[in-house]
Amino acid sequence: SDAARALARAAAEHLAAAPGGPYTLSCGVACLDDEHRRSADLFRAADAAQYAAKRVGGGKLFVAEPGIQTPAI
């Protein structure tokens, strides 16, 4: 979702400017939808998206969408 992407960008920018940094952020985001209704499904989707982000390198955010995972930043 656009809101998840915007929030992740803001978090990454804040983290990059933190004292002692720069730091990077690799995370996965999942939103409630028809495929992710239960908390366990939502967690699993976000976890898979996070590991996809880590596989392509630091500083990435992936958003889990039904059937696909897309890089957001």
Short mmCIF file of all heavy atoms in Angstrom, two decimals:
data_model
loop_
_atom_site.label_atom_id
_atom_site.label_comp_id
_atom_site.label_asym_id
_atom_site.label_seq_id
_atom_site.Cartn_x
_atom_site.Cartn_y
_atom_site.Cartn_z
N SER A 1 0.83 -1.18 0.00
CA SER A 1 0.00 0.00 0.00
C SER A 1 0.88 1.24 0.00
O SER A 1 2.01 1.21 0.45
CB SER A 1 -0.95 -0.01 1.21
OG SER A 1 -0.37 0.58 2.33
N ASP A 2 0.33 2.32 -0.49
CA ASP A 2 1.08 3.58 -0.54
C ASP A 2 1.44 4.07 0.86
O ASP A 2 2.52 4.61 1.08
CB ASP A 2 0.28 4.64 -1.29
CG ASP A 2 0.16 4.33 -2.77
OD1 ASP A 2 1.01 3.57 -3.29
OD2 ASP A 2 -0.78 4.85 -3.40
N ALA A 3 0.53 3.89 1.80
CA ALA A 3 0.79 4.33 3.18
C ALA A 3 1.96 3.55 3.78
O ALA A 3 2.81 4.12 4.46
CB ALA A 3 -0.46 4.17 4.03
N ALA A 4 2.01 2.25 3.53
CA ALA A 4 3.11 1.42 4.05
C ALA A 4 4.43 1.86 3.43
O ALA A 4 5.45 1.95 4.13
CB ALA A 4 2.85 -0.05 3.76
N ARG A 5 4.43 2.13 2.15
CA ARG A 5 5.66 2.60 1.48
C ARG A 5 6.12 3.93 2.06
O ARG A 5 7.31 4.13 2.30
CB ARG A 5 5.42 2.70 -0.01
CG ARG A 5 5.34 1.35 -0.70
CD ARG A 5 5.07 1.53 -2.21
NE ARG A 5 5.12 0.28 -2.89
CZ ARG A 5 4.08 -0.53 -3.05
NH1 ARG A 5 2.91 -0.22 -2.54
NH2 ARG A 5 4.21 -1.67 -3.71
N ALA A 6 5.19 4.86 2.25
CA ALA A 6 5.54 6.17 2.79
C ALA A 6 6.09 6.05 4.21
O ALA A 6 7.09 6.71 4.56
CB ALA A 6 4.32 7.10 2.76
N LEU A 7 5.47 5.22 5.02
CA LEU A 7 5.95 5.03 6.39
C LEU A 7 7.34 4.41 6.40
O LEU A 7 8.21 4.82 7.17
CB LEU A 7 4.96 4.14 7.16
CG LEU A 7 5.28 3.90 8.62
CD1 LEU A 7 5.33 5.20 9.40
CD2 LEU A 7 4.23 2.98 9.22
N ALA A 8 7.57 3.44 5.54
CA ALA A 8 8.88 2.79 5.47
C ALA A 8 9.95 3.76 5.00
O ALA A 8 11.07 3.77 5.52
CB ALA A 8 8.83 1.58 4.56
N ARG A 9 9.62 4.58 4.01
CA ARG A 9 10.59 5.59 3.55
C ARG A 9 10.95 6.54 4.68
O ARG A 9 12.13 6.88 4.88
CB ARG A 9 10.02 6.38 2.37
CG ARG A 9 10.17 5.67 1.06
CD ARG A 9 9.83 6.59 -0.12
NE ARG A 9 9.48 5.76 -1.24
CZ ARG A 9 8.25 5.45 -1.61
NH1 ARG A 9 7.22 5.97 -0.97
NH2 ARG A 9 8.03 4.68 -2.63
N ALA A 10 9.96 7.00 5.43
CA ALA A 10 10.21 7.91 6.54
C ALA A 10 11.09 7.25 7.60
O ALA A 10 12.02 7.86 8.13
CB ALA A 10 8.90 8.38 7.15
N ALA A 11 10.81 5.99 7.92
CA ALA A 11 11.61 5.26 8.90
C ALA A 11 13.05 5.10 8.41
O ALA A 11 14.00 5.28 9.18
CB ALA A 11 10.99 3.91 9.20
N ALA A 12 13.23 4.77 7.15
CA ALA A 12 14.56 4.58 6.59
C ALA A 12 15.34 5.89 6.60
O ALA A 12 16.54 5.90 6.93
CB ALA A 12 14.46 4.03 5.17
N GLU A 13 14.71 6.99 6.26
CA GLU A 13 15.37 8.29 6.27
C GLU A 13 15.77 8.67 7.69
O GLU A 13 16.87 9.18 7.93
CB GLU A 13 14.47 9.35 5.65
CG GLU A 13 14.32 9.18 4.16
CD GLU A 13 13.21 10.05 3.57
OE1 GLU A 13 12.63 10.88 4.30
OE2 GLU A 13 12.95 9.90 2.36
N HIS A 14 14.88 8.44 8.64
CA HIS A 14 15.17 8.74 10.04
C HIS A 14 16.34 7.90 10.54
O HIS A 14 17.25 8.40 11.20
CB HIS A 14 13.91 8.49 10.89
CG HIS A 14 14.10 8.79 12.34
ND1 HIS A 14 14.16 10.07 12.83
CD2 HIS A 14 14.25 7.95 13.40
CE1 HIS A 14 14.35 10.02 14.14
NE2 HIS A 14 14.39 8.75 14.51
N LEU A 15 16.35 6.63 10.22
CA LEU A 15 17.40 5.73 10.64
C LEU A 15 18.73 6.09 10.00
O LEU A 15 19.78 6.06 10.65
CB LEU A 15 17.02 4.29 10.31
CG LEU A 15 17.93 3.19 10.84
CD1 LEU A 15 18.02 3.24 12.36
CD2 LEU A 15 17.42 1.83 10.39
N ALA A 16 18.72 6.46 8.74
CA ALA A 16 19.95 6.82 8.03
C ALA A 16 20.62 8.03 8.65
O ALA A 16 21.85 8.15 8.64
CB ALA A 16 19.65 7.08 6.56
N ALA A 17 19.83 8.94 9.24
CA ALA A 17 20.37 10.16 9.84
C ALA A 17 20.65 10.01 11.32
O ALA A 17 21.08 10.97 11.97
CB ALA A 17 19.39 11.30 9.60
N ALA A 18 20.45 8.85 11.90
CA ALA A 18 20.62 8.64 13.34
C ALA A 18 22.09 8.78 13.72
O ALA A 18 22.99 8.43 12.95
CB ALA A 18 20.11 7.26 13.74
N PRO A 19 22.36 9.30 14.94
CA PRO A 19 23.73 9.41 15.41
C PRO A 19 24.43 8.04 15.38
O PRO A 19 23.84 7.02 15.70
CB PRO A 19 23.57 9.89 16.86
CG PRO A 19 22.22 10.53 16.90
CD PRO A 19 21.38 9.78 15.91
N GLY A 20 25.69 8.07 14.96
CA GLY A 20 26.45 6.83 14.88
C GLY A 20 26.25 6.09 13.57
O GLY A 20 26.90 5.10 13.31
N GLY A 21 25.33 6.56 12.73
CA GLY A 21 25.00 5.92 11.46
C GLY A 21 26.02 6.28 10.40
O GLY A 21 27.08 6.76 10.70
N PRO A 22 25.75 6.06 9.17
CA PRO A 22 24.40 5.72 8.70
C PRO A 22 24.07 4.25 8.90
O PRO A 22 24.94 3.39 8.90
CB PRO A 22 24.45 6.06 7.21
CG PRO A 22 25.88 5.84 6.83
CD PRO A 22 26.69 6.20 8.07
N TYR A 23 22.80 4.00 9.09
CA TYR A 23 22.27 2.65 9.23
C TYR A 23 21.33 2.39 8.05
O TYR A 23 20.83 3.32 7.44
CB TYR A 23 21.48 2.51 10.53
CG TYR A 23 22.30 2.81 11.75
CD1 TYR A 23 22.20 4.04 12.38
CD2 TYR A 23 23.17 1.86 12.27
CE1 TYR A 23 22.95 4.32 13.51
CE2 TYR A 23 23.93 2.13 13.40
CZ TYR A 23 23.82 3.37 14.02
OH TYR A 23 24.56 3.64 15.12
N THR A 24 21.12 1.13 7.76
CA THR A 24 20.16 0.78 6.72
C THR A 24 19.03 -0.04 7.34
O THR A 24 19.17 -0.60 8.43
CB THR A 24 20.79 -0.04 5.58
OG1 THR A 24 21.32 -1.25 6.11
CG2 THR A 24 21.90 0.76 4.89
N LEU A 25 17.94 -0.10 6.63
CA LEU A 25 16.75 -0.79 7.10
C LEU A 25 16.28 -1.75 6.02
O LEU A 25 16.09 -1.35 4.88
CB LEU A 25 15.65 0.23 7.39
CG LEU A 25 14.27 -0.29 7.75
CD1 LEU A 25 14.30 -0.90 9.15
CD2 LEU A 25 13.26 0.86 7.72
N SER A 26 16.16 -3.01 6.36
CA SER A 26 15.56 -4.00 5.47
C SER A 26 14.32 -4.52 6.18
O SER A 26 14.41 -5.05 7.29
CB SER A 26 16.50 -5.17 5.20
OG SER A 26 17.63 -4.74 4.48
N CYS A 27 13.16 -4.32 5.57
CA CYS A 27 11.94 -4.77 6.25
C CYS A 27 10.90 -5.23 5.24
O CYS A 27 10.98 -4.94 4.06
CB CYS A 27 11.38 -3.68 7.16
SG CYS A 27 10.77 -2.23 6.32
N GLY A 28 9.95 -5.96 5.77
CA GLY A 28 8.84 -6.45 4.97
C GLY A 28 7.54 -5.96 5.59
O GLY A 28 7.41 -5.90 6.81
N VAL A 29 6.60 -5.60 4.74
CA VAL A 29 5.31 -5.07 5.19
C VAL A 29 4.21 -5.88 4.53
O VAL A 29 4.30 -6.21 3.34
CB VAL A 29 5.17 -3.59 4.79
CG1 VAL A 29 3.80 -3.06 5.15
CG2 VAL A 29 6.25 -2.75 5.45
N ALA A 30 3.20 -6.20 5.29
CA ALA A 30 2.01 -6.87 4.75
C ALA A 30 0.79 -6.13 5.26
O ALA A 30 0.77 -5.63 6.39
CB ALA A 30 1.97 -8.32 5.20
N CYS A 31 -0.21 -6.02 4.43
CA CYS A 31 -1.44 -5.31 4.78
C CYS A 31 -2.61 -6.30 4.78
O CYS A 31 -2.58 -7.30 4.07
CB CYS A 31 -1.72 -4.20 3.78
SG CYS A 31 -0.43 -2.96 3.72
N LEU A 32 -3.61 -5.99 5.59
CA LEU A 32 -4.80 -6.83 5.60
C LEU A 32 -5.46 -6.83 4.23
O LEU A 32 -5.61 -5.79 3.60
CB LEU A 32 -5.81 -6.31 6.63
CG LEU A 32 -5.43 -6.47 8.09
CD1 LEU A 32 -6.45 -5.76 8.97
CD2 LEU A 32 -5.34 -7.93 8.48
N ASP A 33 -5.80 -8.00 3.76
CA ASP A 33 -6.51 -8.16 2.49
C ASP A 33 -7.18 -9.53 2.50
O ASP A 33 -7.17 -10.22 3.52
CB ASP A 33 -5.58 -7.98 1.28
CG ASP A 33 -4.42 -8.96 1.27
OD1 ASP A 33 -4.55 -10.07 1.84
OD2 ASP A 33 -3.38 -8.64 0.70
N ASP A 34 -7.76 -9.93 1.39
CA ASP A 34 -8.46 -11.21 1.35
C ASP A 34 -7.53 -12.40 1.62
O ASP A 34 -7.95 -13.42 2.15
CB ASP A 34 -9.14 -11.40 -0.01
CG ASP A 34 -10.33 -10.48 -0.18
OD1 ASP A 34 -10.87 -10.00 0.85
OD2 ASP A 34 -10.72 -10.21 -1.33
N GLU A 35 -6.26 -12.26 1.24
CA GLU A 35 -5.30 -13.35 1.41
C GLU A 35 -4.69 -13.37 2.81
O GLU A 35 -4.24 -14.40 3.29
CB GLU A 35 -4.20 -13.21 0.36
CG GLU A 35 -3.30 -14.42 0.24
CD GLU A 35 -2.32 -14.29 -0.92
OE1 GLU A 35 -2.71 -13.77 -1.98
OE2 GLU A 35 -1.17 -14.70 -0.75
N HIS A 36 -4.63 -12.23 3.47
CA HIS A 36 -3.98 -12.10 4.78
C HIS A 36 -4.99 -11.58 5.80
O HIS A 36 -4.96 -10.43 6.17
CB HIS A 36 -2.79 -11.15 4.70
CG HIS A 36 -1.81 -11.48 3.63
ND1 HIS A 36 -1.63 -10.70 2.51
CD2 HIS A 36 -0.96 -12.53 3.48
CE1 HIS A 36 -0.71 -11.24 1.75
NE2 HIS A 36 -0.29 -12.35 2.31
N ARG A 37 -5.87 -12.44 6.25
CA ARG A 37 -6.91 -12.03 7.21
C ARG A 37 -6.53 -12.32 8.65
O ARG A 37 -6.89 -11.58 9.54
CB ARG A 37 -8.22 -12.72 6.88
CG ARG A 37 -8.85 -12.20 5.63
CD ARG A 37 -10.18 -12.84 5.41
NE ARG A 37 -10.75 -12.34 4.17
CZ ARG A 37 -12.01 -12.20 3.97
NH1 ARG A 37 -12.87 -12.52 4.91
NH2 ARG A 37 -12.45 -11.73 2.84
N ARG A 38 -5.84 -13.42 8.88
CA ARG A 38 -5.47 -13.80 10.24
C ARG A 38 -4.09 -13.21 10.57
O ARG A 38 -3.26 -13.00 9.68
CB ARG A 38 -5.42 -15.31 10.37
CG ARG A 38 -6.77 -15.98 10.14
CD ARG A 38 -6.71 -17.48 10.25
NE ARG A 38 -5.57 -18.02 9.47
CZ ARG A 38 -4.81 -19.03 9.88
NH1 ARG A 38 -5.06 -19.64 11.00
NH2 ARG A 38 -3.81 -19.44 9.14
N SER A 39 -3.84 -12.96 11.84
CA SER A 39 -2.56 -12.38 12.24
C SER A 39 -1.39 -13.28 11.83
O SER A 39 -0.34 -12.78 11.42
CB SER A 39 -2.53 -12.10 13.74
OG SER A 39 -2.73 -13.29 14.48
N ALA A 40 -1.56 -14.59 11.90
CA ALA A 40 -0.49 -15.50 11.50
C ALA A 40 -0.18 -15.37 10.01
O ALA A 40 0.98 -15.40 9.60
CB ALA A 40 -0.86 -16.94 11.83
N ASP A 41 -1.22 -15.20 9.18
CA ASP A 41 -1.01 -15.02 7.74
C ASP A 41 -0.30 -13.70 7.46
O ASP A 41 0.60 -13.62 6.62
CB ASP A 41 -2.35 -15.03 7.00
CG ASP A 41 -3.08 -16.36 7.11
OD1 ASP A 41 -2.41 -17.39 7.32
OD2 ASP A 41 -4.32 -16.35 7.01
N LEU A 42 -0.70 -12.67 8.18
CA LEU A 42 -0.10 -11.35 8.01
C LEU A 42 1.37 -11.39 8.42
O LEU A 42 2.24 -10.88 7.70
CB LEU A 42 -0.87 -10.35 8.87
CG LEU A 42 -0.79 -8.89 8.50
CD1 LEU A 42 -1.27 -8.63 7.10
CD2 LEU A 42 -1.61 -8.07 9.49
N PHE A 43 1.66 -12.02 9.54
CA PHE A 43 3.04 -12.14 10.00
C PHE A 43 3.88 -12.92 9.01
O PHE A 43 5.00 -12.53 8.69
CB PHE A 43 3.08 -12.81 11.37
CG PHE A 43 4.48 -12.99 11.90
CD1 PHE A 43 5.14 -11.93 12.48
CD2 PHE A 43 5.12 -14.21 11.78
CE1 PHE A 43 6.45 -12.09 12.95
CE2 PHE A 43 6.41 -14.38 12.25
CZ PHE A 43 7.08 -13.32 12.84
N ARG A 44 3.36 -14.05 8.52
CA ARG A 44 4.09 -14.87 7.56
C ARG A 44 4.41 -14.09 6.29
O ARG A 44 5.52 -14.17 5.76
CB ARG A 44 3.29 -16.13 7.23
CG ARG A 44 4.06 -17.40 7.38
CD ARG A 44 3.31 -18.67 7.04
NE ARG A 44 1.87 -18.72 7.21
CZ ARG A 44 1.24 -18.98 8.34
NH1 ARG A 44 1.91 -19.23 9.43
NH2 ARG A 44 -0.08 -19.01 8.39
N ALA A 45 3.44 -13.33 5.79
CA ALA A 45 3.64 -12.55 4.57
C ALA A 45 4.69 -11.46 4.78
O ALA A 45 5.57 -11.24 3.94
CB ALA A 45 2.32 -11.94 4.11
N ALA A 46 4.61 -10.77 5.92
CA ALA A 46 5.59 -9.72 6.22
C ALA A 46 6.99 -10.32 6.40
O ALA A 46 7.99 -9.74 5.94
CB ALA A 46 5.17 -8.94 7.46
N ASP A 47 7.07 -11.46 7.05
CA ASP A 47 8.35 -12.13 7.26
C ASP A 47 8.97 -12.55 5.94
O ASP A 47 10.17 -12.34 5.70
CB ASP A 47 8.15 -13.34 8.17
CG ASP A 47 9.45 -13.91 8.69
OD1 ASP A 47 10.27 -13.12 9.21
OD2 ASP A 47 9.63 -15.14 8.62
N ALA A 48 8.16 -13.11 5.04
CA ALA A 48 8.67 -13.50 3.72
C ALA A 48 9.14 -12.28 2.94
O ALA A 48 10.17 -12.32 2.27
CB ALA A 48 7.58 -14.25 2.95
N ALA A 49 8.40 -11.18 3.04
CA ALA A 49 8.80 -9.95 2.35
C ALA A 49 10.11 -9.41 2.93
O ALA A 49 10.97 -8.92 2.20
CB ALA A 49 7.69 -8.91 2.45
N GLN A 50 10.28 -9.51 4.24
CA GLN A 50 11.51 -9.04 4.87
C GLN A 50 12.71 -9.85 4.36
O GLN A 50 13.74 -9.29 4.02
CB GLN A 50 11.43 -9.16 6.38
CG GLN A 50 12.74 -8.78 7.06
CD GLN A 50 12.75 -9.07 8.54
OE1 GLN A 50 11.78 -9.55 9.10
NE2 GLN A 50 13.85 -8.78 9.19
N TYR A 51 12.58 -11.16 4.31
CA TYR A 51 13.68 -11.98 3.83
C TYR A 51 13.96 -11.74 2.35
O TYR A 51 15.11 -11.78 1.92
CB TYR A 51 13.46 -13.45 4.15
CG TYR A 51 13.82 -13.73 5.59
CD1 TYR A 51 12.83 -13.79 6.56
CD2 TYR A 51 15.15 -13.85 5.99
CE1 TYR A 51 13.15 -13.98 7.89
CE2 TYR A 51 15.47 -14.04 7.32
CZ TYR A 51 14.48 -14.10 8.26
OH TYR A 51 14.81 -14.29 9.59
N ALA A 52 12.94 -11.43 1.57
CA ALA A 52 13.16 -11.06 0.17
C ALA A 52 13.96 -9.76 0.09
O ALA A 52 14.86 -9.63 -0.74
CB ALA A 52 11.81 -10.91 -0.54
N ALA A 53 13.64 -8.81 0.96
CA ALA A 53 14.38 -7.55 0.99
C ALA A 53 15.84 -7.77 1.37
O ALA A 53 16.74 -7.19 0.77
CB ALA A 53 13.71 -6.58 1.98
N LYS A 54 16.07 -8.63 2.34
CA LYS A 54 17.45 -8.92 2.76
C LYS A 54 18.24 -9.61 1.66
O LYS A 54 19.44 -9.37 1.51
CB LYS A 54 17.45 -9.79 4.02
CG LYS A 54 17.03 -9.04 5.26
CD LYS A 54 17.08 -9.96 6.46
CE LYS A 54 16.73 -9.19 7.71
NZ LYS A 54 16.94 -9.98 8.93
N ARG A 55 17.58 -10.47 0.89
CA ARG A 55 18.27 -11.20 -0.19
C ARG A 55 18.80 -10.25 -1.26
O ARG A 55 19.84 -10.52 -1.85
CB ARG A 55 17.36 -12.24 -0.83
CG ARG A 55 17.29 -13.54 -0.06
CD ARG A 55 16.64 -14.64 -0.88
NE ARG A 55 15.27 -14.31 -1.26
CZ ARG A 55 14.20 -14.54 -0.52
NH1 ARG A 55 14.32 -15.08 0.68
NH2 ARG A 55 12.99 -14.22 -0.95
N VAL A 56 18.10 -9.15 -1.52
CA VAL A 56 18.56 -8.25 -2.58
C VAL A 56 19.51 -7.18 -2.07
O VAL A 56 20.04 -6.41 -2.84
CB VAL A 56 17.37 -7.59 -3.33
CG1 VAL A 56 16.53 -8.63 -4.03
CG2 VAL A 56 16.55 -6.72 -2.43
N GLY A 57 19.74 -7.13 -0.77
CA GLY A 57 20.71 -6.19 -0.21
C GLY A 57 20.10 -5.28 0.82
O GLY A 57 18.89 -5.12 0.90
N GLY A 58 20.97 -4.67 1.60
CA GLY A 58 20.52 -3.80 2.68
C GLY A 58 19.77 -2.58 2.20
O GLY A 58 19.90 -2.15 1.06
N GLY A 59 18.98 -2.04 3.10
CA GLY A 59 18.27 -0.80 2.80
C GLY A 59 17.07 -0.97 1.91
O GLY A 59 16.71 -0.05 1.17
N LYS A 60 16.43 -2.10 1.94
CA LYS A 60 15.27 -2.34 1.08
C LYS A 60 14.02 -2.61 1.90
O LYS A 60 14.09 -3.11 3.01
CB LYS A 60 15.51 -3.55 0.17
CG LYS A 60 16.72 -3.45 -0.71
CD LYS A 60 16.55 -2.40 -1.77
CE LYS A 60 17.77 -2.43 -2.68
NZ LYS A 60 18.12 -1.13 -3.19
N LEU A 61 12.90 -2.28 1.32
CA LEU A 61 11.60 -2.60 1.89
C LEU A 61 10.80 -3.32 0.82
O LEU A 61 10.74 -2.86 -0.31
CB LEU A 61 10.84 -1.34 2.29
CG LEU A 61 9.35 -1.59 2.55
CD1 LEU A 61 9.13 -1.93 4.00
CD2 LEU A 61 8.52 -0.42 2.16
N PHE A 62 10.23 -4.46 1.17
CA PHE A 62 9.34 -5.17 0.26
C PHE A 62 7.94 -5.17 0.87
O PHE A 62 7.79 -5.35 2.07
CB PHE A 62 9.80 -6.62 0.04
CG PHE A 62 10.78 -6.79 -1.08
CD1 PHE A 62 11.89 -5.99 -1.19
CD2 PHE A 62 10.59 -7.77 -2.03
CE1 PHE A 62 12.80 -6.16 -2.22
CE2 PHE A 62 11.48 -7.95 -3.05
CZ PHE A 62 12.59 -7.14 -3.16
N VAL A 63 6.96 -4.97 0.02
CA VAL A 63 5.56 -5.03 0.44
C VAL A 63 4.97 -6.32 -0.09
O VAL A 63 5.04 -6.58 -1.28
CB VAL A 63 4.77 -3.81 -0.08
CG1 VAL A 63 3.30 -3.93 0.30
CG2 VAL A 63 5.36 -2.51 0.45
N ALA A 64 4.41 -7.12 0.81
CA ALA A 64 3.76 -8.36 0.41
C ALA A 64 2.39 -8.02 -0.16
O ALA A 64 1.59 -7.35 0.48
CB ALA A 64 3.60 -9.29 1.60
N GLU A 65 2.17 -8.41 -1.38
CA GLU A 65 0.87 -8.23 -2.03
C GLU A 65 0.38 -9.59 -2.45
O GLU A 65 1.17 -10.51 -2.61
CB GLU A 65 1.01 -7.28 -3.21
CG GLU A 65 1.45 -5.89 -2.78
CD GLU A 65 1.60 -4.93 -3.93
OE1 GLU A 65 1.05 -5.18 -5.01
OE2 GLU A 65 2.26 -3.91 -3.73
N PRO A 66 -0.92 -9.77 -2.62
CA PRO A 66 -1.43 -11.10 -2.96
C PRO A 66 -0.68 -11.74 -4.12
O PRO A 66 -0.63 -11.19 -5.22
CB PRO A 66 -2.90 -10.83 -3.32
CG PRO A 66 -3.24 -9.61 -2.54
CD PRO A 66 -1.98 -8.78 -2.54
N GLY A 67 0.00 -12.83 -3.82
CA GLY A 67 0.70 -13.59 -4.84
C GLY A 67 2.06 -13.07 -5.25
O GLY A 67 2.81 -13.76 -5.92
N ILE A 68 2.42 -11.84 -4.86
CA ILE A 68 3.72 -11.28 -5.27
C ILE A 68 4.31 -10.47 -4.13
O ILE A 68 3.63 -10.07 -3.20
CB ILE A 68 3.60 -10.39 -6.51
CG1 ILE A 68 2.65 -9.22 -6.26
CG2 ILE A 68 3.20 -11.17 -7.73
CD1 ILE A 68 2.68 -8.18 -7.36
N GLN A 69 5.61 -10.22 -4.24
CA GLN A 69 6.29 -9.30 -3.33
C GLN A 69 7.01 -8.29 -4.19
O GLN A 69 7.79 -8.66 -5.07
CB GLN A 69 7.27 -10.04 -2.44
CG GLN A 69 6.56 -10.93 -1.45
CD GLN A 69 7.49 -11.87 -0.76
OE1 GLN A 69 8.63 -12.04 -1.14
NE2 GLN A 69 7.00 -12.52 0.27
N THR A 70 6.75 -7.03 -3.94
CA THR A 70 7.35 -5.98 -4.76
C THR A 70 8.23 -5.07 -3.91
O THR A 70 7.86 -4.74 -2.78
CB THR A 70 6.27 -5.12 -5.45
OG1 THR A 70 5.42 -4.58 -4.44
CG2 THR A 70 5.44 -5.94 -6.41
N PRO A 71 9.39 -4.68 -4.46
CA PRO A 71 10.24 -3.74 -3.72
C PRO A 71 9.56 -2.37 -3.65
O PRO A 71 9.02 -1.89 -4.63
CB PRO A 71 11.52 -3.67 -4.54
CG PRO A 71 11.18 -4.21 -5.87
CD PRO A 71 9.96 -5.09 -5.72
N ALA A 72 9.58 -1.77 -2.47
CA ALA A 72 8.98 -0.45 -2.31
C ALA A 72 10.03 0.63 -2.32
O ALA A 72 9.79 1.73 -2.81
CB ALA A 72 8.18 -0.40 -1.01
N ILE A 73 11.19 0.37 -1.75
CA ILE A 73 12.29 1.33 -1.79
C ILE A 73 13.59 0.58 -1.92
O ILE A 73 13.66 -0.58 -1.71
CB ILE A 73 12.34 2.25 -0.54
CG1 ILE A 73 12.48 1.44 0.75
CG2 ILE A 73 11.15 3.14 -0.48
CD1 ILE A 73 12.68 2.27 1.99
#
